[in-house]
Amino acid sequence: MRVKKQKRHRRAVRFYTACFGFREPFKIFCDGTFVHHLVVNRITPADTALTNILGAPVKLFTTRCVLAELKSLGASYQEALNAANNLFTARCDHETRKSAEDCITEVIGEKNSEHFFVATQDADLRRSLQKIPGVPVIFGLRNALFLEQPSSFQREFAKSSEEERLHMTDLEYNMLRQNKKRRLSDDKQGDSSDASEEKIDDVSQVQIINTNVKRNGSDVKDKVRFKRKKAKGPNPLSVKKKKKKSVDTNFTTSGKENKNGEGTVRSRKRSRKRSCKNVVEGNA
């Protein structure tokens, strides 16, 4: 049962955030009856209990008219008055004091522009608030708190407003037409400027041709002469220098020691290894 209750509350909160723009932290407007219910049933701290219902941080508000009404009820509501004095005070613009019900309906207005959750135990007030779009209502039952599901009027209002948002208004349609006319006029101006530039280019080309004819003395145009690339030599830095061969007179071509030379050079002779087979044959 507790899981179903949390799912219903979460679904209702998602509806108000998506369709009416409610944002965290949620603002909760508490009247005197709701504060008195919290005090009697020892639902404290109140902000924590309301946070558990809505699944988001909250701020509690009241008005001067609600505080004055609690004060006028006498000593039995003194504890509720002390608790209400700790809440944030919402601004009510009326000069003379009104009843809590009239004050709440005036602060909420026709569209609840301040995005208040209204917490009250007054059944008539809850019924009247359900006829205003975008006003979620919270009430208490013994030691539990509940968030009422959106009424059929609120759901129909959200659906109709969504459909209106999809269609184009008259003002938007007129703005679109004006923008289209401006684009067409800009395109025409751009085409005319391009045509004038082409004419100027043609005139300049004719002038260049006339100057070429005068220069050559004939009607034949100058041919474009391309400069041929000649083969270049290698980069001298990348070419390896040739080594000079030094001929030594002390050695002959056979590699043996020169008769007239002073130095001695060993002549290396290869000594072939005799195989074991040759050695045996020789001994035999």
Side-chain angles (χ1 to χ4, degrees):
M1 194 71 181
R2 196 172 198 180
V3 176
K4 290 183 179 179
K5 174 186 170 184
Q6 289 177 353
K7 284 184 178 180
R8 286 199 305 270
H9 290 169
R10 203 177 299 124
R11 198 180 300 117
V13 171
R14 198 182 303 120
F15 170 78
Y16 288 111
T17 54
C19 298
F20 297 101
F22 282 72
R23 294 291 177 267
E24 300 178 9
F26 296 132
K27 297 188 289 185
I28 299 177
F29 197 159
C30 303
D31 71 342
T33 58
F34 185 76
V35 175
H36 182 68
H37 178 82
L38 295 176
V39 171
V40 170
N41 291 277
R42 302 300 176 188
I43 305 174
T44 54
D47 53 352
T48 305
L50 291 167
T51 299
N52 294 334
I53 291 175
L54 303 179
V58 298
K59 287 184 177 181
L60 306 183
F61 290 84
T62 189
T63 58
R64 293 177 298 172
C65 298
V66 173
L67 295 175
E69 188 178 65
L70 285 173
K71 190 175 181 180
S72 64
L73 293 174
S76 59
Y77 284 83
Q78 185 63 38
E79 192 174 356
L81 177 61
N82 296 334
N85 284 324
N86 296 326
L87 306 182
F88 294 100
T89 304
R91 182 180 177 182
C92 50
D93 295 330
H94 43 266
E95 297 179 357
T96 59
R97 186 173 71 86
K98 292 185 177 182
S99 64
E101 184 176 353
D102 295 338
C103 180
I104 290 171
T105 52
E106 185 175 341
V107 171
I108 294 299
E110 296 180 355
K111 294 183 179 180
N112 192 15
S113 58
E114 294 294 329
H115 300 104
F116 279 115
F117 285 75
V118 179
T120 179
Q121 296 297 109
D122 191 350
D124 295 333
L125 179 60
R126 282 159 48 191
R127 206 174 295 113
S128 63
L129 290 175
Q130 285 186 345
K131 297 178 182 179
I132 301 173
V135 183
V137 179
I138 299 172
F139 66 96
L141 186 62
R142 297 187 183 89
N143 58 351
L145 301 178
F146 293 90
L147 173 64
E148 285 192 0
Q149 295 300 308
S151 62
S152 58
F153 171 78
Q154 292 176 346
R155 292 185 184 277
E156 289 176 2
F157 181 85
K159 188 176 180 180
S160 61
S161 62
E162 185 67 24
E163 289 177 355
E164 288 177 1
R165 232 179 274 130
L166 294 175
H167 296 292
M168 190 182 298
T169 61
D170 295 336
L171 179 62
E172 291 173 347
Y173 180 71
N174 293 329
M175 290 175 66
L176 185 63
R177 288 184 63 184
Q178 290 176 2
N179 290 333
K180 193 173 181 180
K181 288 180 180 179
R182 287 175 186 172
R183 287 178 184 175
L184 291 173
S185 61
D186 292 340
D187 292 339
K188 289 180 181 178
Q189 290 178 0
D191 294 338
S192 61
S193 62
D194 291 339
S196 61
E197 288 179 359
E198 287 178 359
K199 289 180 181 179
I200 292 169
D201 291 338
D202 294 337
V203 172
S204 61
Q205 287 179 1
V206 170
Q207 290 177 356
I208 291 169
I209 291 169
N210 292 332
T211 53
N212 289 331
V213 170
K214 289 179 182 179
R215 191 179 299 165
N216 294 332
S218 63
D219 293 338
V220 181
K221 295 181 183 179
D222 289 337
K223 292 183 179 180
V224 180
R225 296 179 181 179
F226 296 98
K227 188 176 181 181
R228 292 185 179 180
K229 293 183 179 180
K230 296 180 180 180
K232 296 181 180 179
N235 188 359
L237 298 176
S238 63
V239 177
K240 193 174 182 180
K241 293 183 179 179
K242 295 181 179 180
K243 294 182 180 180
K244 295 181 180 179
K245 293 183 179 180
S246 59
V247 180
D248 196 351
T249 57
N250 294 331
F251 300 98
T252 59
T253 56
S254 61
K256 295 181 180 180
E257 185 180 358
N258 193 4
K259 294 180 180 180
N260 299 327
E262 296 178 0
T264 59
V265 177
R266 277 188 278 173
S267 61
R268 297 179 180 178
K269 294 181 180 180
R270 290 183 179 179
S271 58
R272 294 182 180 179
K273 292 182 180 181
R274 300 175 68 184
S275 63
C276 295
K277 187 177 181 181
N278 297 331
V279 171
V280 172
E281 292 176 356
N283 291 333

